[in-house]
Amino acid sequence: MSEKIDQIVEDLKTLTLLEASELVSKIEETFGVDASAAAGGGVVMAAAGPAEEVEEKTEFNVMLDEVPADKKIAVLKVVRGLTGLGLKEAKELVESAPKQVQEGVAKDAAEDAQKQIEAAGGKASLT
């Protein structure tokens, strides 16, 4: 392959999945093609290569998935501590589960928040 092609391939390897998706959309728009219609086994294999090199996720969202009625007050206290919300806002958040409690937090902080919610009796997940 030419040096130019090699450089393009190396640049593609550094793209995140979101950036790769945006690139496909832009190529479809620019050249008037549909990548899904032409997708074959080779395209799937090519997509799998860069995906293996995607960096580990560093920011997480903490989701409050479920709150049993008998544990609502304990979970409410934890949510207030995690978010700094007032009583009314925290109560609304807890009662509207599933709902996002924290956004874009580090892995350790997200796991800690999840453990606190689960210790209080609620169910939480990281996204």
Side-chain angles (χ1 to χ4, degrees), residues 54-108:
V54 172
E55 293 181 23
E56 185 176 333
K57 189 173 180 179
T58 58
E59 291 186 347
F60 295 85
N61 299 331
V62 180
M63 295 292 295
L64 177 62
D65 297 325
E66 189 178 321
V67 180
D70 62 330
K71 303 292 184 183
K72 185 169 29 171
I73 293 174
V75 173
L76 179 93
K77 289 178 182 179
V78 171
V79 168
R80 285 190 70 199
L82 293 171
T83 62
L85 292 173
L87 181 60
K88 179 182 177 188
E89 293 83 6
K91 181 177 183 254
E92 289 171 357
L93 189 149
V94 168
E95 290 176 344
S96 64
K99 194 81 169 178
Q100 182 173 295
V101 176
Q102 291 181 317
E103 180 178 4
V105 295
K107 184 176 182 178
D108 292 340

Side-chain angles (χ1 to χ4, degrees), residues 12-17 20 44-57:
L12 288 174
K13 287 180 181 180
T14 65
L15 294 179
T16 64
L17 292 176
V44 172
M45 288 176 24
E52 294 171 7
E53 296 178 20
V54 172
E55 293 181 23
E56 185 176 333
K57 189 173 180 179

